[in-house]
Amino acid sequence: MSATIDLSRAKPAARPAPVNLAGLTRPQLAAALVEGGVVTPAAARMRVGQVWGWIHKYGVTDFAAMTNIAKSARAALADRFVLERPRILERQQSVDGVIKWLIAFAPGIEAESVFIPDVGRSGALCLSSQVGCTLNCTFCHTGTQALVRNLSAAEIVAQVQIARDDLAEWTAASRERRLGNIVFMGMGEPLYNLDAVADAMDIISDNEGVAISRRRITVSTSGVAPELTALGERTGAMLAISLHATNDELRDELVPLNRRYPIAELLAAVRAYPGLSNARRVTFEYVMLKGVNDSPAEARALVRLLAGIPAKINLIPFNPWPGAPYECSDARTIEAFAAIVNRAGYASPIRTPRGRDILAACGQLRSQSEKMRASARRARHV
Ligand code: SAH
Ligand code: SF4
């Protein structure tokens, strides 16, 4: 007896979208290669090491370029996987050399990243961890954006890959590299997306790849106190805290998350941050808002508040954005504030605004789709 299969009724199997290998962690890459049948579990280690190097050390986006891998294996890889970058919707370069990319990760899912040249010995890349932000700090443009979604680790890593493509970093000799530091200070609250941020850090800091040391990666948070220990233990990142006020009444207003985790609770979590020492200080960010938080009395209160914490204080002149309800403090007021903080023994650099002309400075980021929707709304109302 023979069985026949009625092929006319079988639906064509929908082929799933091929996996993009460019944003996987090492264990995920190994699992994908084994599952895809490209490599046996026994040979996975060596093959993963080779593929990893091509992706993360040399930045290739074409399997054909993986010349130490047999042609047949390259063909099998290309058949099952892709190596892709998300689309760059816009690239702007400021008069001061700052570069901003608006990236579309999926239709309507857009975020910005910013390269700031010459921060210390090399430049810094400011990464977004979310599209938009749920936290609505009153001085921050990102917080006014309605659309919010977490970025995946792959989408965070893609921001680094796009910057390295643009800066021709993959082929540059290490002493000529311009991207030496990473800061999670773009769009979003990184501690609301800790798993993806931590996986992205595993990929970016891997010695056989981009190899940016964890000590050169800073995560800035508006103060999600209960996540600080997990951040330190899981990532070893340098910590920055967006403080901006010295009393709960004002901080409740500027950083609404303070109502959930008030200053005392936040500072207790900072004191317990894993690895905190004089060699690994926490940075306190303090945005200078004219007539709001910039008095000499507040500078003295800040010093008292941080007593005993190995800290740096980073004064950020407020960066304006269309419709913002604040003004930046005067230069003399900022200097007077800095002098008080300095006298108390804290390094207190005033962060020079960079890329203001292309709305690339701290707190000015906001995605284009949102801006266009807003301008379309305005156009309808005229
Ligand atoms: N969500 C995180 C990281 C992104 S914001 C956080 O809040 O820490 C990075 C820094 O820019 C924060 O210190 C934030 O308070 C600051 N910032 C936001 N808007 C700003 C603005 N308009 N001018 C200056 N700094 C701003
Ligand atoms: Fe979000 Fe940070 Fe902006 Fe606050 S300052 S709204 S936490 S991105």
Side-chain angles (χ1 to χ4, degrees), residues 133-137 139-143 186-189 222 242 244 255:
C133 184
T134 50
L135 290 174
N136 303 114
C137 300
F139 50 86
C140 175
H141 205 194
T142 308
M187 297 165 69
E189 170 47 58
S222 58
S242 296
H244 307 318
V255 184

Side-chain angles (χ1 to χ4, degrees), residues 47 80 88 122 125 138 162 167 184 187 210 243 245 253 361:
R47 185 65 91 214
R80 290 167 185 75
I88 302 168
S122 59
L125 183 67
T138 46
I162 282 174
L167 300 168
F184 281 89
M187 297 165 69
V210 174
L243 192 63
E253 188 187 314

Side-chain angles (χ1 to χ4, degrees), residues 48-61:
V48 168
Q50 287 173 325
V51 174
W52 180 272
W54 286 112
I55 297 174
H56 296 290
K57 202 164 182 172
Y58 300 109
V60 306
T61 51

Side-chain angles (χ1 to χ4, degrees), residues 139-140 185-186 188-189 220-222 242 244 285 287 318-319 362-363:
F139 50 86
C140 175
M185 294 185 186
E189 170 47 58
S220 173
T221 176
S222 58
S242 296
H244 307 318
E285 296 159 285
V287 64
F318 170 66
N319 293 307
C362 288

Side-chain angles (χ1 to χ4, degrees), residues 70-92:
K71 265 204 170 138
S72 57
R74 278 186 255 160
L77 283 166
D79 192 43
R80 290 167 185 75
F81 303 108
V82 289
L83 284 174
E84 278 175 352
R85 302 278 190 262
R87 208 152 68 82
I88 302 168
L89 291 182
E90 198 180 349
R91 174 196 192 273
Q92 284 177 281

